[in-house]
Amino acid sequence: MAEPLLDRHADALELFGGLVHAVRPDQWDASTPCTEWTVRDLVNHVTGEQLWIPPLVSEGRTVADVGDALSGDLLGDDPAAAWDRAAEGASAALAEPGALERTVQLSYGPAKGAAYCSELTADTVVHAWDLARGIGADDRLPVDLVEFSLKEVMPYAGTLADSGMYAPPVDIPPGADAQTRLLALLGRKA
């Protein structure tokens, strides 16, 4: 039986991965909408997020157990291959029987595997937009992923800027489409 959440996660990984593979050698130091991150920094961040999934979900480890093992440069000399390996490992860990029902110990406390997967899926979607902007690619996001991400972030959108992980929300223009609303909630101007 297909799991819609895993399908959305796979779609987000495919979207982001396609952009990773489109980065030209001269674009890795380009700026992104994430003002303190270059293209390489952004890809390193999202790659790192996927690398956290196997130890937390499959192995039941905590953030403290993993420590700084997933800090620093995770991309090496072949960022696209590093991304591919991370995405494959994350997908395999989440597809294990019972993975989405497991309790995962995150930096902010325990969460179900499904909640963790949803959070990372939405984050990957938004960072795909950032990456597209950074490399000058088409930044239109698939409607189903935008709608999924909006549903994910809406309950806690008001506190995201306080977390330090996102810029403060920007004004949503009247009649804005779903992608513009999502990006605005996360401090981005479309």
Side-chain angles (χ1 to χ4, degrees):
M1 185 162 116
E3 168 56 61
L5 176 55
L6 294 181
D7 292 342
R8 293 298 72 74
H9 183 254
D11 293 345
L13 295 181
E14 183 178 344
L15 173 66
F16 192 84
L19 292 163
V20 170
H21 283 272
V23 177
R24 295 187 320 262
D26 65 328
Q27 292 179 312
W28 289 104
D29 291 326
S31 62
T32 69
C34 301
T35 56
E36 297 183 14
W37 286 346
T38 64
V39 166
R40 185 178 178 93
D41 296 331
L42 175 66
V43 172
N44 193 68
H45 166 73
V46 181
T47 299
E49 287 185 328
Q50 301 309 314
L51 288 171
W52 276 97
I53 294 172
L56 297 180
V57 174
S58 295
E59 301 166 21
R61 296 170 69 192
T62 66
V63 172
D65 293 338
V66 177
D68 63 0
L70 297 175
S71 298
D73 178 26
L74 304 170
L75 302 179
D77 294 334
D78 191 346
W83 163 259
D84 291 344
R85 285 189 301 275
E88 184 178 308
S91 294
L94 290 169
E96 292 172 0
L100 297 179
E101 289 79 38
R102 291 182 195 137
T103 298
V104 181
Q105 300 300 321
L106 303 174
S107 60
Y108 55 81
K112 287 291 184 190
Y116 181 43
C117 181
S118 293
E119 177 184 319
L120 291 180
T121 299
D123 195 62
T124 302
V125 170
V126 172
H127 284 317
W129 182 86
D130 294 329
L131 182 54
R133 282 286 175 108
I135 65 172
D138 183 357
D139 64 6
R140 288 174 294 172
L141 300 170
V143 174
D144 60 333
L145 288 176
V146 169
E147 290 173 356
F148 174 91
S149 299
L150 263 173
K151 286 178 188 171
E152 171 61 23
V153 302
M154 286 300 291
Y156 51 88
T159 62
L160 288 174
D162 296 339
S163 73
M165 294 188 297
Y166 293 94
V170 298
D171 290 333
I172 300 173
D177 64 10
Q179 178 171 318
T180 302
R181 289 195 318 272
L182 173 66
L183 296 171
L185 286 171
L186 301 176
R188 291 155 170 86
K189 292 183 183 179

